[in-house]
Amino acid sequence: MENCIFCKIAAGEIPSATLYEDEDFRVILDLGPATKGHALILPKQHAANLLEMPDELAGKAIVVAKKMAGKMKEVLGCDGLNLVQNNGEAAGQTVHHFHIHLIPRYEGDHAGVSWTPGKLTDEVRDEILKKFA
Ligand code: AMP
Ligand code: ZN
């Protein structure tokens, strides 16, 4: 993808603060971090979102996330970690090259990775179950 900034970063054409790299992925620090150490896993192959990711690459992305989670706990001393992965503008995706946010969490931080819980009614539950059957 010619004009994709994450393609260029993943390929090393644009410099980035790289924490990890292998043949399929580059993990960089997010320029607008939610917390200290907020990073992004970028595949080197372009896919706009999760639905466009080849199965094998999608699987590998989670393995990278796991590896990074262990390293972040070890070197940053974080108390928890959120994986966030936005798909589509409605979901808050602003860069349309698949990426997984790795957001280290620290006791008492006020990073806003949350939502207000609603209530699953019987009617909605049944409607959805019917659609998935
Ligand atoms: P999303 O809303 O899931 O599409 O997230 C895009 C993320 O990319 C945001 O957290 C931005 O701060 C981050 N971002 C955008 N451009 C860059 C860049 N050049 N280098 C590092 N992070 C970036
Ligand atoms: Zn791209």
Side-chain angles (χ1 to χ4, degrees):
M1 281 285 287
E2 245 169 56
N3 278 320
C4 175
I5 186 159
F6 280 3
C7 274
K8 289 178 182 155
I9 291 173
E13 290 164 20
I14 294 177
S16 62
T18 296
L19 304 181
Y20 172 83
E21 185 183 3
D22 63 24
E23 64 174 345
D24 297 309
F25 298 96
R26 182 185 293 272
V27 180
I28 65 166
L29 287 177
D30 193 303
L31 284 184
T35 64
K36 187 176 178 180
H38 180 169
L40 301 171
I41 300 175
L42 311 180
K44 293 183 176 179
Q45 179 183 332
H46 182 84
N49 53 46
L50 181 61
L51 289 175
E52 286 192 6
M53 281 282 277
D55 287 357
E56 195 187 340
L57 196 59
K60 282 181 178 174
I62 288 295
V63 176
V64 172
K66 182 181 173 189
K67 198 179 290 191
M68 293 306 298
K71 185 76 177 174
M72 283 176 157
K73 190 164 193 285
E74 181 192 327
V75 306
L76 297 172
C78 54
D79 304 304
L81 179 88
N82 292 116
L83 296 193
V84 176
Q85 201 276 305
N86 300 326
N87 295 281
E89 279 168 25
Q93 186 178 11
T94 58
V95 181
H96 296 277
H97 175 122
F98 174 92
H99 51 280
I100 298 175
H101 294 261
L102 295 166
I103 306 177
R105 299 302 302 271
Y106 306 91
E107 293 296 347
D109 74 34
H110 294 288
V113 187
S114 64
W115 58 87
T116 306
K119 174 92 181 85
L120 179 63
T121 62
D122 292 352
E123 192 189 2
V124 170
R125 179 199 60 206
D126 292 345
E127 177 199 327
I128 295 170
L129 286 176
K130 217 183 290 171
K131 288 180 178 165
F132 276 81

